Every structure is written in structure tokens, then in C-alpha cells.
Amino acid sequence: MHRRQFHRFTFLLLGLTFILGGCAFDGPQSIFDTVGPVAEGQAEIFMLTFWFGVGVFAVVTLTLLYTVWRYRRGDEEGLPEQIHGVAWLEVVWTLAPVVILIIVGIATVRLIFAQEASSPEEDALKVTVTAYQWWWAFEYPELGIVTANELRIPVGRKVQLELHTADVIHSFWVPRLAGKVDNIPNQTNRMWLLADEPGVYRGQCAEYCGVAHAYMRFQVVAEPEDGFNNWVASFQDASGTQTAQADPLILEGRQLFSQKGCAGCHAVQGVSQNRVGPSLTSFGLRRTVGAGIMENTPENLARWISDPHEVKPGNYMPDLFAEGDPQADEEVAALVAYLQNLGDTTQRAAKAERPRVHDRDLRP
Ligand code: CUA
């Protein structure tokens, strides 16, 4: 092998290693590690198409290699025998793709009708999803709940989603639960999903939407019906539990929340209704900060409040503290205490019991 060929070969191998390194069947956003009928049906269609593709690739490649080898130039001089077409062969390679396309087509159309989302069902949970640069609002119109970046759903119940956007085109995608559907300005798109196992499923905006697109994440938390109902009850009652805090640091944080202007953008039930930024009602129950990018711990939250742009470049939250502000540390601590204590105490205790967010699920 020549030196140059060797270099090319090494380069190719390295490239393949990097590309194939992205392949995993059990990653947190794997479309093969399916949960629930929507993702399962879609993965089946994918595999059906994939295996037909593998078959066609193998037949074409093998035939090509065989032909090149079998009819390579021999010792004889002149042109080989000239022919014009082989009828039976042409019929085969015309009919085979037709048959394959009919099979794939029937399977796909059946699935599209089966997963049709335009006819809402009586007992489905309805959620309106609004995409913002770069976070998600989840509204449960029948339950009077508005939350953000964490979609709570009951296990085993159909969830009917209505997709909107407040600005540009985004795409709602929870790979393990369902294929992506776009959020398009001035248009309502619909989809449904169903988680038949409890768990936390990672979601991601799947349409490039600006500088923080890669950090526009969310989580779907599927709980048994009881747990979901407890969350709903505590959330609806959140204004009560959120004001009954006696700790002076929490009270200071609560004051700062208005003074520093947080309340001008963020809703907290009983304090503010604004919807410019993510709702923070019952924020203490949430698993992540910054639209799914960091675990919701006091340290991470302090980092976020002190300098949101260091954590998530491009996001629209203003800097609350000037560089070298002598009050900053104390005020951040107060805000963190206030926010971490939002939400029902028993629910927060239950959250502490649950497994922590996996590092592999998040990347700061
Ligand atoms: Cu929103 Cu990408």
C-alpha cells in the first residue's frame, strides 16, 4: 500500500469511528428504545423500511461486484458481444421496487391513520405546548395549570398535545415517546403520545431556532395516575403553600423576586401572571434549570441567576447583577432559597427521594 493510500485509509477509519460512535440503542434520546404505542409504531415502520433498504443495497452491490468481476476485460481483442436488454431481468427489477413500495406504503398509511391526532378522545389529557426561544410552556387548560420545561403526564393515559409557537419555528420531540412535530407560527399542529411505563423522558427542540437551539430541552415525567393527581392538586393549591414560608431568607427572596424585576417576566401563582419567561410556579418540584440543561440544585440555580449567559449563551433573561455588585451573593442566595422552596413540601420531599438526574442526560 502506498503511503498516500495508507493515509487515506486511516482517515476514513477515523471518520467512521467518530460517526459510528454516535450510534447507541439505549441513549437518552434513542428512537429505538421506545416507550408507548406511538414511538413503537413509528420505530416499526423505520425498521421495515431499513431492512428493505439493506436488502436492496446487498442485492445491487453484490450484483455489481459480480458483474465487474465476471465480465472484466480478458485477453481477447475487440468488443465483447453486444446485446440489447434482457426482458425477464427488466421485469424483475421493475416489479420488485413496486412490491416493496406497496408494502411500505400500506404499512405507513395504516400507521398514519392509527396515530391520527385530530379526533380528540374523551379521557385524553389535553396539554397546550407553546415553544419560545429557548424554552417550553406547558398549559393544561382543563386543570388550570401553566408550567414550563417539564411535562408531567400520567402513565397509560393518552396525552393530546396542541402545538404552538410564540416566535419562530420549533419542533417538539421526545424521541422515546413519539416522533417530532413542528411548532409553526399562526398554525395549530396536533399530536398525541402515551407512556406505558413510568419514567423521565428527555425532549429536545428539533428545528434550528437560533443561538440557544441546542439548549432548548425539556423532560417528560410520566407517573402513575395517583402521583400525577397529587402533583395536580399541589400545583393548583400552590399559592397557599408558597406564601406560608417563615424563613427570613425565603421572605427576602420573595421580596427580591418582585424588586429585581423577576416577576415582570415570570409567573408564580399568587404573585405574578406574566408569561414572558417560563412560569416558576412550584419551581422547587422541577428537576432541571434553564430548560433542561442543568439539574435543579441550589448551586446550579445560583449559577444561573448570577450569570445566565455564562450558562446558556444567547438566552433572553437579563443580567440581574452588575459585575462586582457587593449585594449579589446575598441576594442570589435569597432568590435561590425562595425559588427552591416553591411548591408543596410533601411533593418536594418525594422529589428528593427520586433518583437524581443522570449526568449523561444533561450537559451544562
Ligand atoms: Cu427551538 Cu430549536
Side-chain angles (χ1 to χ4, degrees), residues 208-290:
Y208 180 70
C209 54
V211 60
H213 157 71
Y215 285 161
M216 185 167 167
R217 302 183 189 160
F218 59 100
Q219 299 200 333
V220 177
V221 179
E223 293 182 295
E225 195 85 35
D226 279 2
F228 176 76
N229 290 339
N230 288 342
W231 174 77
V232 169
S234 84
F235 207 101
Q236 287 171 333
D237 190 32
S239 57
T241 52
Q242 281 166 170
T243 45
Q245 306 286 354
D247 186 324
L249 194 64
I250 297 176
L251 289 176
E252 190 196 337
R254 184 162 181 251
Q255 252 179 11
L256 284 168
F257 189 76
S258 299
Q259 278 169 18
K260 279 282 176 186
C262 313
C265 293
H266 297 281
V268 166
Q269 195 175 318
V271 179
S272 142
Q273 303 260 342
N274 291 317
R275 290 197 183 188
V276 179
S279 161
L280 299 177
T281 299
S282 294
F283 180 78
L285 307 183
R286 238 173 263 166
R287 294 165 50 88
T288 65
V289 184

